[in-house]
Amino acid sequence: MIDYHLHSNFSADSTSSIDDILSMAGNLSIIITDHYEAVDGEESFKFDVEVYKREMRKRNLPIGVEFGWDGKGKIDIDLKEFDFVILSNHKRYDEKDRQKVYEKYLLDLYTFVKKIDDFHVLGHLDFPRRFSEGFEPFSKKLYPIIEDVLRLVLEKGKTIEVNTAGIFRYGEPNPSIDILKLFKKLGGKYVTIGSDAHKVEHVGRGIEKVYEILEEVGIKYLMVYENGWKISSKNI
């Protein structure tokens, strides 16, 4: 099994050491993907890339990153230096209407995917649902925009991650099962899986459940890193 979305103390919002993550992971295949937020304002946080790469290589780990952008911040990092890049939108939107927040999030996400080429997966699509009162799902009225985002991801030869964090808030991963079905319908054949763990005890959390969900949706393959990328059946 794999967990390709993990945060160590190189991220500003985690205190987990790399070695503690490795101990907790056991036989789980992992990639640590610390936050690098190239955004304006107080949400910006970055790490020393050379130190980070050195620490990962010391432990024979792939070099992963979760790259966040807001469409404004200076992109001062060469994403080609990383083995695995999750592209994410963590922007906060000043709207009372949740569906309006979701719409703005999706439109920005489309722009980010269009402008940035050096990523492997789109992170936690439908992310703002985690912070919605009552965990309100994305309206079906927004699905044409979601479809545009997914089509663009696939046209670029990229894929999406299935992020387990939502399962422990409202019973579904990010993206939702309905969005995963849409991804499959559009020709999506494989994904990655990540727990988005910011605490050591959350490493690997929900991965088995996502395997069950992928079985239900009909997605049979994972993109896995084994000294380079390959596509493998998900029973690895």
Side-chain angles (χ1 to χ4, degrees):
M1 289 191 175
I2 66 170
D3 188 346
Y4 288 179
H5 192 148
L6 295 164
H7 297 282
S8 78
N9 51 18
F10 275 90
S11 291
D13 54 358
S14 174
T15 58
S16 304
S17 75
I18 297 172
D19 291 331
D20 284 347
I21 290 171
L22 283 169
S23 294
M24 179 61 72
N27 292 326
L28 192 67
S29 177
I30 68 167
I31 302 179
I32 293 172
T33 52
D34 279 306
H35 285 290
Y36 195 100
E37 297 290 323
V39 302
D40 281 349
E42 61 184 23
E43 298 301 319
S44 174
F45 51 87
K46 304 172 182 181
F47 53 76
D48 185 314
V49 172
E50 292 307 314
V51 173
Y52 184 76
K53 287 160 58 177
R54 186 165 63 244
E55 291 301 313
M56 298 303 166
R57 285 176 178 147
K58 189 189 301 182
R59 296 165 176 83
N60 294 314
L61 287 170
I63 302 165
V65 65
E66 181 177 15
F67 179 70
W69 193 43
D70 62 354
K72 298 178 181 178
K74 181 182 178 182
I75 300 178
D76 56 356
I77 183 174
D78 184 358
L79 295 174
K80 292 186 181 71
E81 295 185 19
F82 295 86
D83 298 310
F84 181 53
V85 178
I86 302 171
L87 177 62
S88 294
N89 177 9
H90 297 119
K91 283 180 67 174
R92 298 181 182 183
Y93 296 89
D94 187 19
E95 292 281 350
K96 292 182 180 179
D97 185 307
R98 293 310 303 174
Q99 296 300 326
K100 192 66 179 176
V101 168
Y102 296 168
E103 181 181 16
K104 286 188 172 184
Y105 163 85
L106 290 169
L107 291 172
D108 276 346
L109 198 60
Y110 182 85
T111 300
F112 300 166
V113 173
K114 197 170 185 65
K115 289 186 175 181
I116 296 175
D117 293 323
D118 297 320
F119 72 96
H120 295 86
V121 301
L122 186 63
H124 45 49
L125 182 59
D126 79 6
F127 172 77
R129 185 181 176 189
R130 291 187 194 176
F131 308 101
S132 171
E133 185 176 350
F135 306 115
E136 182 180 339
F138 279 47
S139 166
K140 292 296 170 99
K141 293 179 181 179
L142 296 176
Y143 272 48
I145 309 176
I146 295 173
E147 184 170 332
D148 286 345
V149 172
L150 292 174
R151 284 188 187 278
L152 183 58
V153 167
L154 292 170
E155 284 169 10
K156 285 196 160 197
K158 317 297 184 182
T159 191
I160 63 172
E161 73 153 354
V162 185
N163 188 299
T164 73
I167 293 171
F168 302 94
R169 295 177 185 241
Y170 49 83
E172 286 194 283
N174 301 111
S176 69
I177 292 171
D178 280 348
I179 295 174
L180 285 172
K181 288 178 179 177
L182 176 60
F183 177 70
K184 171 72 162 49
K185 181 180 177 182
L186 294 173
K189 292 181 170 60
Y190 53 87
V191 297
T192 63
I193 306 173
S195 66
D196 209 348
H198 288 71
K199 298 179 179 179
V200 169
E201 58 266 31
H202 292 168
V203 172
R205 188 172 71 151
I207 301 296
E208 289 187 6
K209 178 63 177 176
V210 166
Y211 273 64
E212 294 173 9
I213 290 169
L214 293 177
E215 186 75 27
E216 173 191 338
V217 170
I219 294 175
K220 299 179 180 180
Y221 300 97
L222 298 176
M223 187 170 75
V224 297
Y225 190 87
E226 296 175 357
N227 297 315
W229 288 104
K230 71 174 188 176
I231 308 304
S232 177
S233 63
K234 69 176 186 301
N235 60 355
I236 58 171

